[in-house]
Amino acid sequence: NNQAVFENCFAGRLQTVMCGGTASLFCYGYTGSGKTHTVLGKREERGMYYFAAQHILDELRSLPESTGSGEHETLFLHATACEIYNDKVFDLLGPEKLECTLRTDESGTLQVLGPATTIRVDELEQHVSALVGHLSDEQQSEMAQARDRYDATGLPSAFDGTLHSTAMTRSEGLRSLSIFCPEDLESISRSYVQQRAVGTSTQHDESSRSHAVLRMEIVTAAVLKARRALDDARALLPAYNNALDNLTNVACKVLFEKDAYGRYNTMGSSTDPIWDPQDSGGLQRKHFQEPGLWESKHAALLAQKRDIEASMAGAQAEVERARGALADLMDRGPASLGGSLVLVDLAGADYDHRVGAQQKESAAINKSLLALKECLRALANKSSQRPKFRDSKLTRIMEDSLAPSAASSRRCRESTSVMVVNVSPAKQLEKMTLNTLRYGQLYAEGSRSVVAKARPSASAGRAQ
């Protein structure tokens, strides 16, 4: 049963989580071989996720009282669940599924983010109104219809283009549940079962048609609050950058003439050609009939620039403060803080000759499993290429568990993983069973390669 599989295959790996590392379990097999039953369980039989979380919770309760006491110091599990369906990622915890995006933050950590919300920044809105006041009606119309021109680096040119949004765009992470006791795990299984994509395969009518990822991390309330403060602080920076780009763009239109090619020529200047009145580079100043008008407009725009830069410096200081506060919490916390448990229920490979949406589902599943296979081949040194984790959303999410030394956020933390190969005794599935076992062999060979390449400071244990 599942408990015996857990105790023999995975229980011994969970000490890695209690040391702040990551323990992952993958279930792979042909469609209908029992992968979801292994991870989630069914009816009275518990799944691997339940036994693993219960084991971690028991370990947390056995820690010395000093590491688990205090209003903000209680250790608990922060649980999220997502699925990859037709190469799209969806959040599974909540009353409805939400489509998500993948983004790598400045530290190299892959984030799964939900829908973005836009919040107006009053200070920057006032700057936009002041900028528009410098423009003639014709210039306002021109900027409203303009499209960005791009510089040699492929980025939008700050000298010529449209006004960019100065609103703060905030994308929340996956919706989560706080797990303090085994009874809290029931909420995960209910939402997981209700929201996950299920359909017919060539073998049965209740087949999981998506890859599902359950993640549980050891946290405290103070750590979650500090992470949110850091995310909020970071979200302001793009708005300030856009405000500075808008200011440069408007200053070009108000103060300078375009060249014969319809562009603002800034070549040949060793300084900032717009804001240095002594060196305008290749820019040609506009001539106004009123004496001193050019200088007064330039001074007003320069003052506005300094105001935005001062506010941006304050926002950057807040990011550093929030980053330091989070790092301090992690450093002062117990060794288990930040330890993660990851369970991946892979959709079953299916040689589907049907047509329509069902065939599309099967094709997407097989394509992502092939990308995973190629990563395993590369890790096992059976391919001359490096693992291409970006070939699918599945492999991007699994990179941290398959090759932890390549993920910066886990570079100095231990990572261990196990693959459970689910096979069927049915004779008609003999070919599929052999293919599944070969897939598992690739994983085992890749695990030995990763362990051999691991640096002393980045211990990585994998299933043999």
Side-chain angles (χ1 to χ4, degrees):
N1 57 22
N2 283 342
Q3 185 166 6
V5 174
F6 167 74
E7 292 173 352
N8 285 280
C9 298
F10 198 44
R13 307 280 178 150
L14 297 184
Q15 192 56 38
T16 300
V17 180
M18 298 305 298
C19 295
T22 301
S24 306
L25 180 139
F26 308 101
C27 281
Y28 175 80
Y30 191 71
T31 180
S33 58
K35 300 178 298 299
T36 301
H37 179 269
T38 301
V39 173
L40 197 63
K42 193 169 185 179
R43 300 186 181 93
E44 293 78 16
E45 185 172 10
R46 304 289 191 184
M48 300 284 276
Y49 92 100
Y50 184 94
F51 294 122
Q54 185 180 45
H55 183 99
I56 296 297
L57 291 170
D58 289 342
E59 291 281 340
L60 293 178
R61 283 196 292 265
S62 68
L63 291 176
E65 191 67 24
S66 60
T67 63
S69 60
E71 182 181 357
H72 299 293
E73 297 302 323
T74 301
L75 295 169
F76 59 93
L77 290 173
H78 180 251
T80 60
C82 66
E83 70 170 355
I84 301 99
Y85 175 69
N86 280 343
D87 206 37
K88 295 181 180 179
V89 182
F90 296 91
D91 186 347
L92 291 178
L93 291 187
E96 75 287 332
K97 286 200 293 190
L98 295 177
E99 187 171 353
C100 302
T101 57
L102 302 182
R103 185 182 304 165
T104 303
D105 67 15
E106 60 190 26
S107 69
T109 302
L110 181 69
Q111 296 181 317
V112 183
L113 301 175
T117 56
T118 300
I119 304 171
R120 293 180 59 181
V121 182
D122 291 339
E123 175 194 357
L124 296 181
E125 289 289 328
Q126 293 171 6
H127 281 298
V128 171
S129 298
L131 284 178
V132 172
H134 289 288
L135 299 170
S136 65
D137 292 342
E138 182 181 352
Q139 288 171 330
Q140 289 183 32
S141 176
E142 178 187 349
M143 292 197 73
Q145 300 175 17
R147 292 186 177 182
D148 284 325
R149 291 182 176 175
Y150 293 84
D151 60 23
T153 66
L155 298 174
S157 171
F159 301 105
D160 193 14
T162 185
L163 287 174
H164 300 132
S165 171
T166 56
M168 180 178 73
T169 301
R170 180 77 162 81
S171 294
E172 298 287 347
L174 291 172
R175 293 169 294 183
S176 62
L177 293 173
S178 297
I179 308 298
F180 293 91
C181 61
E183 289 71 25
D184 294 334
L185 295 167
E186 298 298 333
S187 298
I188 295 180
S189 59
R190 282 197 301 270
S191 183
Y192 180 102
V193 171
Q194 291 170 359
Q195 303 294 350
R196 191 178 180 191
V198 176
T200 61
S201 69
T202 56
Q203 297 300 315
H204 64 123
D205 295 332
E206 295 184 5
S207 174
S208 298
R209 308 306 289 162
S210 65
H211 310 295
V213 181
L214 292 169
R215 178 183 291 273
M216 289 177 270
E217 181 186 6
I218 299 174
V219 298
T220 65
V223 166
L224 293 181
K225 182 178 179 181
R227 286 179 181 173
R228 182 173 182 84
L230 178 56
D231 289 340
D232 287 341
R234 285 172 172 165
L236 267 174
L237 295 182
Y240 282 110
N241 281 321
N242 283 349
L244 288 174
D245 284 347
N246 289 342
L247 188 62
T248 301
N249 197 343
V250 169
C252 276
K253 290 175 171 54
V254 172
L255 301 173
F256 300 97
E257 301 284 359
K258 291 183 179 181
D259 62 15
Y261 298 98
R263 300 197 177 195
Y264 294 100
N265 185 358
T266 59
M267 302 298 293
S269 173
S270 59
T271 60
D272 190 330
I274 294 177
W275 306 113
D276 185 354
Q278 305 303 321
D279 182 7
S280 296
L283 291 173
Q284 181 182 351
R285 292 188 182 187
K286 283 188 175 181
H287 296 285
F288 297 98
Q289 292 183 350
E290 181 180 338
L293 182 58
W294 190 96
E295 287 76 11
S296 65
K297 286 180 177 290
H298 185 272
L301 290 167
L302 182 59
Q304 195 171 349
K305 176 177 181 285
R306 288 169 176 163
D307 286 343
I308 296 174
E309 287 176 335
S311 298
M312 186 172 183
Q316 289 173 328
E318 179 60 23
V319 170
E320 294 304 316
R321 186 206 64 79
R323 183 184 289 114
L326 177 58
D328 183 59
L329 282 174
M330 298 299 292
D331 290 341
R332 290 191 292 106
S336 57
L337 190 61
S340 296
L341 177 66
V342 181
L343 295 100
V344 183
D345 177 9
L346 297 169
D350 194 2
Y351 300 99
D352 198 342
H353 299 292
R354 296 172 296 178
V355 296
Q358 295 170 331
Q359 187 184 50
K360 182 181 178 182
E361 285 179 348
S362 296
I365 291 169
N366 293 338
K367 181 180 178 180
S368 58
L369 290 175
L370 177 61
L372 176 58
K373 179 180 178 180
E374 292 305 312
C375 288
L376 294 176
R377 281 174 54 83
L379 291 172
N381 293 324
K382 294 199 172 192
S383 170
S384 59
Q385 298 179 332
R386 298 180 64 182
K388 296 181 179 180
F389 290 107
R390 290 185 174 270
D391 279 359
S392 79
K393 290 185 171 64
L394 171 65
T395 49
R396 287 190 68 189
I397 290 175
M398 292 176 65
E399 178 182 1
D400 191 51
S401 298
L402 290 171
S405 61
S408 60
S409 65
R410 293 288 173 185
R411 192 168 290 151
C412 297
R413 293 197 177 203
E414 185 179 0
S415 180
T416 181
S417 56
V418 172
M419 177 176 281
V420 175
V421 176
N422 294 75
V423 295
S424 169
K427 184 177 181 180
Q428 67 270 23
L429 297 179
E430 178 182 359
K431 180 179 178 181
M432 292 73 170
T433 297
L434 289 173
N435 287 338
T436 300
L437 293 173
R438 292 189 185 102
Y439 204 107
Q441 184 64 27
L442 272 178
Y443 175 85
E445 292 174 355
S447 73
R448 288 191 286 270
S449 174
V450 171
V451 170
K453 294 176 183 177
R455 296 175 297 177
S457 62
S459 172
R462 297 281 308 281
Q464 303 295 322

